[in-house]
Amino acid sequence: MEWETFDRNALVILGGPHQLIQTIYHDDTQILGAVAIDNETGKIATSSGGNIHIYRPYGQNEGVLKWSLQYSFRVAEKNFDAYTLSWGASEELLVGSAALSLYQTNKQEALIWTRELSSPVALALFSPDSSFIASTARCDRLLKLWRRLSYGSDDVRFDFSYLSHPATVTGIHWRTSSPHEQGADILFTICADNKVRVWASTDPHASQVLQLWAELDVQASIQPRNLDSVPVVHPRYVFFIDSHDFIALTKAGLQAASIAGKENHALEHLSEISERTPEVCVVLDNCGHMSAWGFENVGSRAHEPKNVFNIAHVENFNLLLPQTASHSAECVKFFSFCTGAPLITYAVLVHHFDGRIVWLEGSIDDFFDPSPRRARLQVKSLWTGHEGSIKKMVRTVSGKALISRTNDNEGIIWKQRRGSDGMALSRASFLDSPEHIHRTWLFVDGSFTVNLHHHSISLWDTRDYEARQMARCDYQLQGKPLCLLELPYQDEKSPKRFLATISSHMKGIVWEINLPCDGKQETHRHSTIMQRCSFDLGIATDIAFVIPVDPAGSTPILAGVLDTFSQDIALSYTESGVLHTWAAKIEAEKSNVDWLMTSKVDTGVDRPFLASGSSTRKIALVNSARNGLTIWDSRSGQMEFSKDYSPQEMIQDLDWTSTPDLQSILAVGFQHKVVVLAQIRYDYLDKGPAWAPIRDIYIRESTPHPIGDSTWLGSGNLVIGAGTQLFVYDKLITTSDEMITDLSLPVHGHASVDIFDVVALLNGPLPVYHPQFLAQCILAGRMPQVSKIIISLNTALKFFDGDHLDSLLSLPAEEFFTNQKDLALAASRKERHSDYADFSDDEDPDNVTEELAAILNENLAKFPVPYLSSQEQMHLADIIECVATAEKHRRSMDDNAMRYLLFVRQHLVRKAQGRKKQVGITWREIAWAFHSGSQDILVDLVSRHYNGRVLWKHAKESGMFMWMSDIDALRAQFETIARNEYTKTDEKNPIDCSLYYMALKKKTVLLGLWRMAAWNREQSSTQKFLANNFQEHRWKTAALKNAYALLGKRRFEYAAAFFLLAGNLRDAVNVCAQQMQDIQLAIAITRVYEGDNGPVLHDLLEDRVLPMAAFEGNRWLAMWAFWMLGRRDMAVRSLITPVYTLLSTPETPSQEARSYLATDPALIVLYKQLRDKSLQTLRGASQISPRTEWEFVIQTARLYDRMGCDLLALDLVRNWEFLAQPKDTLQPLQPIPDPRKMLRRRSSLVVDDLPSPRPPTEKGAPAPTAWKEPDANSLLDSFGF
């Protein structure tokens, strides 16, 4: 069964109370006046002014039922509108306007009959068999009954007669029969004299076709029960239940009662009545009275008084009838029917002419049962809305209510309610403002509304169905008011509220609003709104907009002190893309408001189109092209997400919400769809995204109208306003959706999951056996805990039943945040005092061996582990295998070498399995190996992995020539690569190894290789050319010419070799860095060619590597470059401070540099390690302010928390040691104190690498060429001797 409704210019087709099939918008400027559906063909006809639109159904067989426009035509009577439509037989359409016209709509419209009338038609209706038409004009007491004399499109004729009534006819109804029955035509008319008349053909020889058979006084049918009360005439409402529906409903009720095995006296009574096959007339009033009457044997000649009888009289009968006295509210029309399978139930559509349609549904026995009942019919749905298109929606802080507004300053307040079929919205109040509404704010879950106009502000009571203005206040403000926001107030129970507006000049006004405190409707005189104070935020004039921060489900909390921890209430952004967040505190006693800028973020986005901030400190920003979205963390100033959509997808709306655990969700609104993004855990190892789409909502299937606005309910439901409609989307997400499957969530066995549960799975603390937690433990230097986790996981999986697995694996939480030295000391004491110290359990080894790793990975492949996706289980197996390999070499390498080996091996394993597309390791792994003392072992392990045939691509992938510090070993390894490059092919081409031998300055070796390359056509010329002395100027020039010629042929590597042949290292480096885009090769040949102290390497690091690190925000690369330059103090500072601030010519950072990936939590591990390493690093750390270091520690703890590694965050903030600050302030000419005094522990292992001070007359001595062992006395001094 399909239903069609319409608003001003939209046709809405429904398949039930909660099934929207289609919305069709008309291009006509005139509103829709009538709609009718043909029950036989499914065609729908609508009228807008004098235009008629015919829609044809399609897709029934495919299961996708839709309607499309067949054609449109205009009524024959020009300058007149079509007021009524009615379908007849054979696709005939009756149109009532200034005339009655009959059209044949089979293929194209064809006017087959028309008759002009003295007055325009108000009601016109075909009889069920299309043999009669009943029509009447407005305020007409003479109903015209048209009888069809002939059928067929060629000759259609009607005659008519009058059915006289004493007053205006207000309604007509033809009795319908069941499809397999053919009954007589029975007409019911409703008259303004409060009587229902029944017309039937009782005498075929009478002058009139239909004669008056019976009448019912509806006013007298309901008598007042309280005789002492003053008689008041209440309006009466009438609708009919045809006999075939009444009988079908009664039979269905008897069957249901029989199955349930319960007695039902009301059903027994209705069963007796149904045997008389009555036509039922239901009479209602707005006081809760209902009286039902039956008409038996309608149309019989022998009419007896008992043919009209009372069926039931019911008290406290509520059908949501209007209680107001307005004319539009009193106009109500009813339509009753039977719903279909699986159960036949009784349903009533109540059409209120003030803009509401209510679907009520229930059983027939509950409807007619005279005994008291609370709810006879359940409200299945209530359809209401705007006359114009929705342009803005504003919700309350809690998300339990919202207001939708149109361009006509019309607003409807909706409240969230939970029905039997899920979350829904109910219309609470209607607001019609005579002034333009600029901004809106809701109080007390939508009970009160404040509207900001251009020069005034008004307070409205929206507790009633129609809102009433309670107070208003005029104002004057410099600039255009941009927003309306609530200021937090200490007394939450106080009826006082404070609202503020901020203008385009960053000036504002604060209003004090006094709401009714007792909740009574008669307290409007106590409700006031008055201006309390004004303020000036006083920042730059290029402000683009100021908006309130979306509460995202959290109630604003007012702290005692206004500081950076205060909750944000406003967000401003400039034309240059600078974001400011603001907190405020109202001092009601002093009539003053204090403002604090809580954050400032330079996004680099020029002329942003839109921004939206959340109370969870997230900000979404849309670029000027409206297709680029970035998400920022205002607390850290870092970018968490960046996405460029196609140019056709224009972003027009941003809406925030959050889970109960304050995990953020963002709805990104486009013209015809909404993309829902959810924050996910940070992933620094795989450089994964910090946000992911979890749902796409397309509205084109429901409506062609573009989205006007959207907002979140507090329950997690998304409300989308498009045209005149509000779409409420369920918070359940289908797990089979491609977006959910791509996230590899552990949602096995669930067809759908709550959106909050999905986001919780993507965030929150990780179990200790999660691969990301294990990886971060390894980086944090907690290898003993990693071994314990793996061993405990192996033990747990032996007895795992597939249901529950402790997230801590029964390990004490203190294991992860107790200081490592304290843990080791406690373990040694326990071992010494234990009587079982000499005994060991063979089943549970102390270390992770390769055998244990094989057994554990075999178990992991058998069954799914809780809280791990299948992909994460594969990553876990990789880490376990890598830890076992690293433990095998544990005694021969330090911690940094272990870190390097673990992650390089993990990268290589994933690459071999085809699960990682990234080529090469990151500078993070290079930094660990660079600061390792076991580099010779790492070189050997890397060489073994490639079977001793390391090529340059392998060396680049491992970063070998970046982290090797022994220059002799580096050159030896480079020569090995030169040999391997030469022998990598069967033909053994000397060109492949030319660059490497030239960097090694071994031209003779290369010349010998060319002598053996007889197959190469360049052998003769090249061999002859290389035999020359390139110390001479002429041959240097010749080599340069060859180099430039090779550049022109794009043989870049060979060109670089000829530059080296000419002794021009700088040009060779430029070719590698620019043309070949291989910065590692440029650095490698520089180090091999001139060592680590040469000018070319210095310039390469200064002019190319450091600016590149600043542009990319790569602190690992910056640290390495500064360390190579001998500026170890700057290397330490670069780990904490943004790189671009440390350069003499600051490089403008890219968007990548602003990403959260630029602040790796492992940076603090290396910072702590390097800070205490030497006097230079200590001096660099001393130049970092304590607040900067504190902020970096707190930020790293937040990063751990966002990664799901809460235990590591606790470990960091609990065990971090800050440098001791000098008590006295350093004077300008005072010598710098010893940095070792800043350490809180003994400083015996700090290397003194500060340059020795020289006397003014002493000339600089040449730099030492070899390392000199320090004097033994200096070591004793460090121990205090």
Side-chain angles (χ1 to χ4, degrees):
M1 179 181 292
E2 284 76 36
W3 299 99
E4 71 284 347
T5 64
F6 61 88
D7 55 26
R8 294 179 67 93
N9 63 343
L11 172 66
V12 183
I13 304 173
L14 303 155
H18 306 291
Q19 182 188 4
L20 174 64
I21 297 178
Q22 189 178 2
T23 303
I24 302 173
Y25 280 86
H26 290 73
D27 296 332
D28 296 344
T29 57
Q30 294 177 300
I31 64 174
L32 293 180
V35 63
I37 185 169
D38 187 358
N39 292 329
E40 293 184 5
T41 64
K43 282 187 174 183
I44 297 176
T46 63
S47 68
S48 57
N51 298 317
I52 308 298
H53 311 280
I54 308 297
Y55 296 91
R56 175 177 53 86
Y58 67 93
Q60 301 97 312
N61 299 330
E62 294 79 11
V64 185
L65 181 60
K66 297 291 180 183
W67 276 258
S68 63
L69 181 65
Q70 184 178 0
Y71 54 81
S72 300
F73 63 91
R74 187 164 182 82
V75 295
E77 294 74 32
K78 297 182 179 179
N79 301 325
F80 283 95
D81 296 341
Y83 301 109
T84 181
L85 301 172
S86 180
W87 286 97
S90 303
E91 301 184 36
E92 293 177 348
L93 178 65
L94 177 67
V95 179
S97 59
L100 275 180
S101 302
L102 188 62
Y103 292 87
Q104 174 57 250
T105 65
N106 187 9
K107 295 181 180 180
Q108 192 67 26
E109 87 283 355
L111 180 62
I112 59 177
W113 177 80
T114 184
R115 178 65 65 89
E116 293 187 5
L117 303 173
S118 58
S119 300
V121 176
L123 298 172
L125 196 62
F126 259 124
S127 65
D129 60 0
S130 301
S131 59
F132 292 98
I133 298 174
S135 69
T136 182
R138 187 180 299 275
C139 301
D140 193 354
R141 70 179 188 85
L142 296 176
L143 184 141
K144 292 184 177 67
L145 184 66
W146 304 81
R147 181 177 60 177
R148 190 162 191 165
L149 303 177
S150 63
Y151 291 84
S153 58
D154 296 335
D155 183 20
V156 177
R157 290 179 293 118
F158 286 86
D159 66 0
F160 72 92
S161 59
Y162 290 104
L163 300 182
S164 179
H165 293 72
T168 301
V169 178
T170 58
I172 55 179
H173 171 76
W174 287 101
R175 191 270 307 268
T176 60
S177 303
S178 60
H180 57 274
E181 294 180 353
Q182 185 63 36
D185 291 314
I186 307 297
L187 177 66
F188 297 89
T189 60
I190 306 171
C191 191
D193 63 350
N194 281 328
K195 288 188 178 181
V196 171
R197 291 172 173 82
V198 186
W199 305 84
S201 179
T202 59
D203 184 3
H205 303 290
S207 59
Q208 290 183 332
V209 181
L210 298 181
Q211 296 83 41
L212 180 63
W213 184 82
E215 62 180 25
L216 175 68
D217 189 343
V218 298
Q219 187 67 39
S221 64
I222 297 178
Q223 296 295 332
R225 295 298 182 262
N226 188 358
L227 299 178
D228 296 333
S229 62
V230 179
V232 178
V233 178
H234 294 282
R236 297 291 190 264
Y237 307 95
V238 178
F239 64 92
F240 303 92
I241 305 175
D242 294 326
S243 58
H244 68 92
D245 284 343
F246 182 77
I247 294 171
L249 289 166
T250 304
K251 286 183 178 179
L254 290 171
Q255 291 176 0
S258 175
I259 294 173
K262 295 181 180 179
E263 283 192 27
N264 192 321
H265 298 293
L267 265 179
E268 294 174 0
H269 172 63
L270 294 179
S271 177
E272 295 175 359
I273 293 175
S274 66
E275 294 176 356
R276 304 171 65 177
T277 63
E279 310 297 331
V280 181
C281 175
V282 179
V283 183
L284 307 166
D285 65 7
N286 59 1
C287 296
H289 303 121
M290 186 275 283
S291 181
W293 296 80
F295 299 99
E296 183 184 8
N297 296 329
V298 178
S300 63
R301 290 189 178 185
H303 174 62
E304 300 179 4
K306 64 179 183 179
N307 291 141
V308 181
F309 59 95
N310 183 259
I311 297 176
H313 187 90
V314 178
E315 300 289 332
N316 298 322
F317 191 90
N318 183 18
L319 281 188
L320 303 179
L321 295 177
Q323 303 294 320
T324 60
S326 65
H327 176 71
S328 63
E330 285 187 356
C331 294
V332 179
K333 188 174 182 179
F334 296 84
F335 184 80
S336 66
F337 57 96
C338 300
T339 62
L343 296 175
I344 298 178
T345 57
Y346 181 58
V348 180
L349 286 182
V350 185
H351 181 196
H352 300 260
F353 280 38
D354 61 356
R356 292 175 294 152
I357 299 178
V358 185
W359 182 305
L360 301 164
E361 194 171 308
S363 61
I364 192 71
D365 53 310
D366 289 341
F367 186 82
F368 287 108
D369 191 356
S371 59
R373 289 179 179 271
R374 294 189 60 185
R376 299 178 182 272
L377 296 180
Q378 300 292 330
V379 178
K380 288 294 183 179
S381 186
L382 190 152
W383 303 314
T384 184
H386 296 275
E387 293 185 357
S389 297
I390 296 170
K391 75 164 186 177
K392 185 64 179 176
M393 290 192 293
V394 179
R395 73 169 196 175
T396 59
V397 172
S398 63
K400 295 180 179 179
L402 64 92
I403 181 173
S404 55
R405 294 200 330 257
T406 67
N407 287 319
D408 300 327
N409 304 313
E410 170 190 289
I412 296 180
I413 288 83
W414 309 85
K415 292 194 176 181
Q416 175 182 322
R417 65 174 179 84
R418 183 174 295 279
S420 58
D421 297 309
M423 196 60 61
L425 291 176
S426 62
R427 177 171 171 172
S429 185
F430 174 79
L431 188 152
D432 190 5
S433 173
E435 298 180 82
H436 173 74
I437 299 177
H438 192 55
R439 294 289 183 270
T440 300
W441 197 268
L442 299 179
F443 290 116
V444 196
D445 289 335
S447 298
F448 303 96
T449 303
V450 174
N451 291 324
L452 180 67
H453 312 288
H454 287 308
H455 301 290
S456 64
I457 185 170
S458 58
L459 173 64
W460 295 72
D461 185 350
T462 51
R463 292 173 290 182
D464 290 334
Y465 188 75
E466 291 187 1
R468 292 178 290 175
Q469 183 173 301
M470 303 167 64
R472 64 180 287 114
C473 177
D474 296 334
Y475 71 89
Q476 291 183 349
L477 182 63
Q478 183 180 354
K480 179 182 177 181
L482 299 178
C483 65
L484 188 64
L485 47 92
E486 184 178 5
L487 302 180
Y489 188 52
Q490 289 180 342
D491 190 357
E492 296 181 357
K493 298 181 179 180
S494 171
K496 287 185 179 180
R497 300 289 190 275
F498 293 91
L499 284 181
T501 185
I502 302 175
S503 73
S504 54
H505 293 178
M506 297 305 286
K507 302 181 184 299
I509 298 175
V510 177
W511 291 280
E512 179 184 320
I513 300 169
N514 291 285
L515 302 175
C517 56
D518 53 6
K520 296 182 179 179
Q521 306 287 342
E522 293 78 17
T523 55
H524 290 178
R525 63 180 182 274
H526 303 297
S527 304
T528 60
I529 180 170
M530 59 182 178
Q531 183 171 328
R532 195 60 186 263
C533 63
S534 59
F535 57 87
D536 186 356
L537 293 180
I539 63 172
T541 58
D542 64 338
I543 290 294
F545 221 87
V546 183
I547 55 176
V549 166
D550 197 319
S554 60
T555 305
I557 301 174
L558 180 65
V561 179
L562 187 63
D563 54 20
T564 55
F565 295 99
S566 302
Q567 187 164 337
D568 299 334
I569 64 169
L571 165 68
S572 65
Y573 57 95
T574 66
E575 294 289 349
S576 58
V578 179
L579 306 173
H580 303 87
T581 57
W582 304 86
K585 180 181 179 182
I586 185 72
E587 297 183 7
E589 296 77 10
K590 300 180 181 179
S591 297
N592 186 34
V593 59
D594 295 328
W595 289 88
L596 176 67
M597 184 191 300
T598 55
S599 70
K600 178 180 178 180
V601 181
D602 186 0
T603 65
V605 179
D606 190 35
R607 294 182 293 109
F609 167 75
L610 182 65
S612 179
S614 165
S615 58
T616 55
R617 301 290 178 94
K618 308 295 181 187
I619 302 174
L621 192 66
V622 180
N623 63 4
S624 59
R626 299 179 58 181
N627 66 340
L629 173 69
T630 53
I631 300 177
W632 302 78
D633 188 319
S634 63
R635 186 184 286 110
S636 63
Q638 293 177 333
M639 182 179 67
E640 295 186 341
F641 179 80
S642 179
K643 172 76 172 178
D644 288 328
Y645 297 92
S646 66
Q648 292 77 23
E649 295 180 305
M650 309 286 282
I651 301 173
Q652 58 185 30
D653 188 30
L654 300 168
D655 295 287
W656 289 98
T657 189
S658 63
T659 67
D661 297 330
L662 299 182
Q663 294 147 353
S664 299
I665 306 172
L666 175 66
V668 184
F670 298 87
Q671 196 169 24
H672 293 283
K673 74 171 183 178
V674 174
V675 177
V676 180
L677 300 173
Q679 74 171 48
I680 62 178
R681 297 183 188 94
Y682 284 166
D683 184 3
Y684 287 91
L685 301 180
D686 293 334
K687 295 187 177 180
W691 290 75
I694 60 173
R695 190 176 188 181
D696 276 349
I697 299 174
Y698 296 91
I699 70 165
R700 269 193 192 276
E701 297 180 357
S702 303
T703 175
H705 201 286
I707 296 174
D709 198 7
S710 60
T711 190
W712 291 95
L713 295 178
S715 58
N717 300 83
L718 182 65
V719 182
I720 298 177
T724 60
Q725 297 171 290
L726 290 177
F727 300 89
V728 183
Y729 287 89
D730 197 358
K731 62 179 180 178
L732 295 179
I733 298 177
T734 306
T735 55
S736 59
D737 190 280
E738 184 179 354
M739 292 184 175
I740 302 300
T741 55
D742 288 345
L743 293 172
S744 302
L745 288 176
V747 288
H748 314 290
H750 298 278
S752 59
V753 186
D754 189 293
I755 187 173
F756 289 163
D757 294 336
V758 170
V759 179
L761 289 172
L762 294 170
N763 296 275
L766 293 169
V768 294
Y769 52 82
H770 194 280
Q772 173 150 288
F773 185 84
L774 291 175
Q776 292 301 323
C777 282
I778 293 170
L779 289 175
R782 289 195 167 267
M783 277 299 296
Q785 283 72 35
V786 172
S787 298
K788 288 183 180 179
I789 291 171
I790 295 176
I791 293 170
S792 300
L793 179 62
N794 181 57
T795 304
L797 290 183
K798 290 179 182 178
F799 311 100
F800 182 56
D801 56 1
D803 185 18
H804 177 71
L805 193 64
D806 182 25
S807 61
L808 289 175
L809 297 174
S810 302
L811 294 172
E814 294 79 7
E815 282 274 354
F816 301 95
F817 54 79
T818 304
N819 191 283
Q820 291 280 66
K821 295 181 180 179
D822 297 339
L823 278 176
L825 182 61
S828 62
R829 288 176 179 173
K830 183 178 180 180
E831 185 176 354
R832 287 198 304 268
H833 292 84
S834 174
D835 295 333
Y836 305 97
D838 296 332
F839 296 93
S840 61
D841 189 358
D842 295 335
E843 294 185 0
D844 294 328
D846 295 332
N847 296 320
V848 180
T849 62
E850 292 183 344
E851 292 77 13
L852 184 144
I855 296 172
L856 182 53
N857 288 347
E858 183 179 350
N859 289 331
L860 288 174
K862 289 181 180 179
F863 35 72
V865 178
Y867 308 112
L868 293 185
S869 65
S870 56
Q871 186 176 4
E872 288 167 345
Q873 280 193 220
M874 295 171 69
H875 290 177
L876 176 60
D878 294 343
I879 286 185
I880 293 171
E881 186 178 345
C882 294
V883 170
T885 304
E887 285 289 345
K888 183 179 179 181
H889 303 278
R890 182 65 179 164
R891 296 180 180 274
S892 57
M893 60 177 64
D894 56 19
D895 288 341
N896 285 341
M898 287 283 290
R899 292 184 177 103
Y900 174 83
L901 178 62
L902 278 167
F903 292 103
V904 169
R905 182 163 172 23
Q906 184 177 349
H907 158 72
L908 295 174
V909 168
R910 293 188 188 181
K911 182 183 176 184
Q913 296 173 348
R915 290 191 281 121
K916 192 172 179 64
K917 297 180 180 179
Q918 179 183 338
V919 177
I921 61 172
T922 65
W923 283 94
R924 175 184 56 232
E925 283 71 47
I926 292 174
W928 296 126
F930 182 66
H931 290 288
S932 170
S934 311
Q935 292 181 356
D936 51 345
I937 300 175
L938 293 180
V939 171
D940 182 60
L941 290 174
V942 171
S943 180
R944 285 186 188 179
H945 177 78
Y946 296 111
N947 301 318
R949 298 189 58 81
V950 181
L951 302 175
W952 170 250
K953 64 178 181 180
H954 303 140
K956 180 181 178 181
E957 188 175 25
S958 65
M960 178 186 299
F961 290 94
M962 303 300 102
W963 49 257
M964 290 180 67
S965 56
D966 186 345
I967 199 67
D968 294 329
L970 181 122
R971 287 172 175 151
Q973 187 63 36
F974 203 74
E975 187 169 2
T976 302
I977 289 178
R979 288 195 300 268
N980 294 336
E981 289 287 343
Y982 173 69
T983 59
K984 69 180 179 181
T985 61
D986 293 337
E987 62 184 9
K988 297 181 180 179
N989 193 344
I991 297 177
D992 295 337
C993 62
S994 296
L995 176 62
Y996 306 97
Y997 280 116
M998 286 295 133
L1000 290 163
K1001 301 179 183 179
K1002 293 189 176 183
K1003 184 192 73 170
T1004 307
V1005 175
L1006 184 61
L1007 183 59
L1009 297 178
W1010 272 108
R1011 289 194 185 103
M1012 295 183 288
W1015 56 270
N1016 196 318
R1017 64 181 182 179
E1018 298 179 2
Q1019 182 204 26
S1020 177
S1021 57
T1022 305
Q1023 183 179 348
K1024 182 178 179 181
F1025 185 75
L1026 290 177
N1028 296 303
N1029 182 10
F1030 288 91
Q1031 299 299 322
E1032 298 179 9
H1033 178 71
R1034 57 172 293 200
W1035 295 114
K1036 282 187 177 181
T1037 304
L1040 289 175
K1041 289 181 179 180
N1042 279 297
Y1044 287 117
L1046 290 168
L1047 283 178
K1049 296 179 181 180
R1050 305 189 64 82
R1051 298 174 66 180
F1052 300 127
E1053 183 177 327
Y1054 204 26
F1058 273 85
F1059 277 122
L1060 292 178
L1061 182 62
N1064 197 333
L1065 173 62
R1066 196 176 300 274
D1067 286 342
V1069 167
N1070 290 335
V1071 170
C1072 295
Q1074 291 182 1
Q1075 276 74 22
M1076 298 179 65
Q1077 294 293 306
D1078 192 344
I1079 193 67
Q1080 284 201 36
L1081 182 59
I1083 296 171
I1085 64 173
T1086 307
R1087 297 185 68 189
V1088 170
Y1089 193 89
E1090 67 173 10
D1092 288 345
N1093 299 313
V1096 177
L1097 179 62
H1098 181 277
D1099 294 343
L1100 177 62
L1101 296 175
E1102 284 277 5
D1103 301 336
R1104 189 177 296 274
V1105 175
L1106 283 176
M1108 182 175 68
F1111 182 74
E1112 297 175 355
N1114 193 334
R1115 301 187 185 185
W1116 301 100
L1117 176 58
M1119 181 280 306
W1120 176 87
F1122 278 125
W1123 199 279
M1124 288 292 295
L1125 289 169
R1127 302 168 63 184
R1128 298 185 176 183
D1129 54 341
M1130 298 294 288
V1132 172
R1133 292 175 60 188
S1134 67
L1135 293 172
I1136 287 186
T1137 311
V1139 182
Y1140 69 91
T1141 62
L1142 301 177
L1143 303 183
S1144 56
T1145 56
E1147 180 78 17
T1148 303
S1150 63
Q1151 288 287 68
E1152 184 182 0
R1154 296 182 170 97
S1155 170
Y1156 79 96
L1157 292 171
T1159 310
D1160 193 324
L1163 287 168
I1164 204 166
V1165 179
L1166 185 59
Y1167 168 76
K1168 185 176 182 181
Q1169 184 183 124
L1170 298 184
R1171 184 187 67 178
D1172 307 343
K1173 193 168 187 177
S1174 70
L1175 292 184
Q1176 267 202 64
T1177 58
L1178 266 176
R1179 177 167 293 179
S1182 67
Q1183 296 174 2
I1184 300 172
S1185 66
R1187 180 174 181 83
T1188 301
E1189 184 174 349
W1190 179 85
E1191 289 176 347
F1192 188 71
V1193 172
I1194 297 300
Q1195 182 184 1
T1196 304
R1198 291 196 188 104
L1199 296 179
Y1200 276 134
D1201 179 69
R1202 181 69 185 274
M1203 296 172 67
C1205 305
D1206 302 62
L1207 292 172
L1208 296 182
L1210 182 59
D1211 171 41
L1212 177 64
V1213 297
R1214 178 182 176 129
N1215 299 315
W1216 183 261
E1217 289 186 356
F1218 292 93
L1219 293 177
Q1221 298 300 312
K1223 297 181 180 180
D1224 301 327
T1225 305
L1226 192 64
Q1227 299 300 324
L1229 298 179
Q1230 186 177 350
I1232 300 175
D1234 189 349
R1236 284 173 291 193
K1237 296 181 179 180
M1238 303 180 68
L1239 293 174
R1240 299 181 184 273
R1241 295 177 183 263
R1242 297 175 64 180
S1243 55
S1244 58
L1245 300 180
V1246 178
V1247 177
D1248 185 358
D1249 58 353
L1250 292 177
S1252 302
R1254 301 171 185 167
T1257 58
E1258 183 182 348
K1259 295 183 179 180
T1265 57
W1267 180 76
K1268 182 179 179 182
E1269 183 178 357
D1271 184 50
N1273 292 329
S1274 64
L1275 296 177
L1276 295 176
D1277 290 342
S1278 299
F1279 283 95
F1281 295 103

